[in-house]
Amino acid sequence: MTATRVPGVPVIEDGVLISTNPATGEEAGRVPVADAAAVAAAVQRAKEAGAWWQSLGFDGRKERLIRWRSLIVQRIEELAQLTGLEAGKPRNDAIMEAVAAVEHLDWAAHHAKRVLGPRRTRTRILLAEHAGHLEYLPYGVVGVIGPWNYPILTPIGPISGALAAGNAVVFKPSEYTPIVGQWLVDTFAEVVPEQPVMQAVHGLGDVGGALCRSGVGKVSFTGSTATGKKVMAACAENLVPVVIEAGGKDALIVDADADVKAAAEAAVWGGMTNAGQTCIGIERVYAVAPVYDQLVKEIVARAGKLRTGEEIGPITMPRQIDVIREHIDDALAKGGTAVLGGVGAVQPPYVAPTVLVDVPADSSEIREETFGPTLTITKVADADEAVRLANDSPYGLGGAVFGKKNAVRIARRLRSGMVAVNSTLSFVGMGNLPFGGVGESGFGRIHGEDGLREFARPKAITVRRARSLLPSTTFERTPAQVKQIVKVVRMLYGRKS
Ligand code: NAD
C-alpha cells in the first residue's frame, strides 16, 4: 500500500525511507530503514572498524580527516544543493552551515594529538618517586543521533570529535534529512574505504532508541529536550554515557551604549537565519529603554525586507508550523502586538518574519522554543533587568549581548553555555570553543578541547621510578616514616594560607 505523501514528511514504504522537500514534495532520495538487529550488526562492525581506526594513530587519522574536509569543501555546492532539496534550506544558509562544519573537522583533526595524546604530568612532592602519565582513550564506538535543522553541522560537530579521538561512529540522521546524512557517510567512505569507520542507520525514533541500547560506548544526541530525556533513559539501562545537545530559547540583550543598527542586523539574522529553525537562534530580545524604540524600528525595517521562498525558506518539519502559529496566537491573545507579520504570517510551508512587542513573560512565545522566524522585543529598565528576564528560562544554550562598556560583564552573567558579544551565533563557527548548554538545553560539550575530551576517557598511569622516601602505600612503613610524612604534610598543607 502506498501511503499518502505530505511534502517534507518522511514516508516509509516497504522498508525504505523516502525523503521529500518540504515546499515542493520533490523526492530527495531513499534509504533503507534499519531494525534493531541491523543497528546491532552495524555497531558490531563498527567495533572492529574502530580498533583498526584507532591503530592508525593520531597522525594517520588526521591525514584522513583532512582529506574528508577537503572533499567536502570541493563539493560544497553539491552538498548545499542537496540540503536545499531535502530540507528546503536556502543555498547561502546551507553554504554557511557547511563552512562551520569544515572548521570543526579541521580543528579536531589538527588538535586531537595535543589534547588527547599521552603526556607526563607534573611531579607531586608526596609521591615524588612516581611519574604520572595521562592519555585519553576512545570509547570504541560512538552513536550519534542528529536533528534535521542543521543536518551537516550538528552531526559533524560530535563526529569530528569522536573520529579524531579514535572512535568509530554509527550515525542515526534525522528521518527528515537522511539523504544529507548518507552523503556525509558516503563521502567519508571515499577517503576511508578500508573499514566501515562511519556508518549510517536510518529510520524513526525507534532506530535512535535501538542505537542507545546496541552496545555503543557513548551516545551524542542533538535534538529536542523531550527526546533528549528519552535518549538518556535508554542509555541509563546500560550506564552508557551521553552528551545532550537540546533546545534553546536564546536571548539578545541590547544595552544603552550599543550600536543599535548593528544590534538590529544581528538580531534579524540570529533570529531568522534558516527560518528561525536554529537551536541557538535568537528568539527573545531585551532592550534597555533608551534604545528600545530605535531598535524596534530598525529590526522591523530589516526583517520586513526578507522574502519567504528566498532568504526565508520553508519550515522543514511541517508539524512545527502549528507550534509557531500557536505561539504567535498566544502572544497576541495575552496582549502582545505584532509590529511585523503576526497571524497572517503563517502560510504553510512558510512563515513570514514576525516581530512581536509587549508580549507577557508567561506567553509561550517567551517561554517555549518557537523554532520559527519570530522575535519578541521587550523593553527593560536596565541591563540587570535584562539579565534577570533572559535567565528566567529553563533553557540555557547560547545568547548575545550588544553594548560597549559592560557587554562582557553582562555576557558572563547569562546562564548559558555560550554568548556572542556584538554579534550573534558566532561561537558555533569557532573550532576552538566548546559548544553546549545548561539546564533543559542539555549537558556535555562538542567542539574544541572539551568536545574532543567528551569522546575519550582519561586513562591515568603511575610509574614508580625510585624507592619511596616517604612510603605511604605499604604496611611496612615505620612509625618514624609516618611521623615524617605528617611533618611534610604540615609543612606543605598545614599553613593557613
Ligand atoms: P527530535 O528530538 O525530534 O529528533 C532528534 C533525533 O532523535 C532524530 O534523529 C530522531 O529520529 C531521534 N529520536 C526521536 N525519538 C527518539 C528516541 N526515543 N530515542 C532515540 N532517538 C530518538 O529533534 P528535531 O526535531 O530533529 O530537532 C530539533 C530540535 O533539536 C530543537 O529542539 C533544537 O533546538 C534542537 N537542536 C539542538 C542543537 C544543539 O546543539 N543544542 C542543535 C540543533 C538542534
Side-chain angles (χ1 to χ4, degrees), residues 252 261-271 282 302 402 422-425:
L252 182 157
K261 286 188 176 167
E265 181 192 337
V268 171
W269 184 73
I282 300 298
R302 283 174 166 81
F402 270 76
N422 293 329
S423 72
T424 45
L425 278 53

Side-chain angles (χ1 to χ4, degrees), residues 418-466:
M418 299 79 59
V419 185
V421 172
N422 293 329
S423 72
T424 45
L425 278 53
S426 8
F427 43 75
V428 74
M430 286 173 69
N432 55 0
L433 282 180
F435 182 97
V438 303
E440 296 261 314
S441 293
F443 55 84
R445 293 293 180 266
I446 56 171
H447 303 171
E449 296 192 3
D450 298 273
L452 281 171
R453 285 194 202 100
E454 196 72 61
F455 297 106
R457 33 180 152 228
K459 175 86 177 209
I461 298 176
T462 61
V463 179
R464 182 193 287 277
R465 52 188 180 181

Side-chain angles (χ1 to χ4, degrees), residues 180-459:
V180 172
Q182 189 63 49
W183 189 95
L184 297 176
V185 170
D186 291 345
T187 51
F188 181 78
E190 286 183 34
V191 299
V192 183
E194 297 95 331
Q195 295 265 353
V197 173
M198 176 157 57
Q199 302 169 75
V201 288
H202 295 287
L204 307 181
D206 60 307
V207 178
L211 185 55
C212 296
R213 298 184 174 94
S214 62
V216 293
K218 183 148 189 172
V219 168
S220 176
F221 168 81
T222 308
S224 63
T225 303
T227 308
K229 292 175 185 175
K230 290 184 195 160
V231 164
M232 211 173 152
C235 287
E237 290 170 19
N238 298 304
L239 226 54
V240 173
V242 282
V243 184
I244 303 285
E245 298 286 355
K249 189 74 194 173
D250 287 0
L252 182 157
I253 292 176
V254 187
D255 204 5
D257 56 357
D259 176 340
V260 177
K261 286 188 176 167
E265 181 192 337
V268 171
W269 184 73
M272 298 183 183
T273 184
N274 199 27
Q277 304 166 106
T278 306
C279 55
I280 47 168
I282 300 298
E283 300 211 351
R284 301 172 291 152
V285 178
Y286 295 100
V288 298
V291 297
Y292 174 82
D293 289 338
Q294 194 201 345
L295 183 76
V296 173
K297 206 172 95 215
E298 297 282 352
I299 285 180
V300 169
R302 283 174 166 81
K305 285 190 200 142
L306 302 176
R307 297 155 299 173
T308 49
E310 299 289 335
E311 296 89 354
I312 305 292
I315 300 305
T316 305
M317 190 170 65
R319 68 185 143 84
Q320 191 67 24
I321 289 176
D322 296 331
V323 175
I324 301 169
R325 188 190 288 112
E326 278 163 31
H327 285 194
I328 295 174
D329 288 352
D330 185 55
L332 298 178
K334 289 197 166 117
T337 303
V339 285
L340 181 72
V343 182
V346 181
Q347 291 178 8
Y350 296 99
V351 176
T354 290
V355 180
L356 301 156
V357 296
D358 301 326
V359 179
D362 66 344
S363 96
S364 51
E365 216 8 274
I366 296 279
R367 300 221 61 84
E368 294 164 24
E369 188 178 52
T370 306
F371 236 50
T374 73
L375 282 174
T376 61
I377 314 177
T378 303
K379 193 194 288 188
V380 291
D382 52 26
D384 284 347
E385 187 184 5
V387 170
R388 187 173 57 73
L389 292 176
N391 286 347
D392 181 18
S393 169
Y395 293 111
L397 195 53
V401 180
F402 270 76
K404 293 188 183 78
K405 206 163 117 254
N406 293 318
V408 173
R409 265 192 288 273
I410 296 168
R412 289 208 175 98
R413 290 169 62 199
L414 283 180
R415 180 181 166 273
S416 70
M418 299 79 59
V419 185
V421 172
N422 293 329
S423 72
T424 45
L425 278 53
S426 8
F427 43 75
V428 74
M430 286 173 69
N432 55 0
L433 282 180
F435 182 97
V438 303
E440 296 261 314
S441 293
F443 55 84
R445 293 293 180 266
I446 56 171
H447 303 171
E449 296 192 3
D450 298 273
L452 281 171
R453 285 194 202 100
E454 196 72 61
F455 297 106
R457 33 180 152 228
K459 175 86 177 209

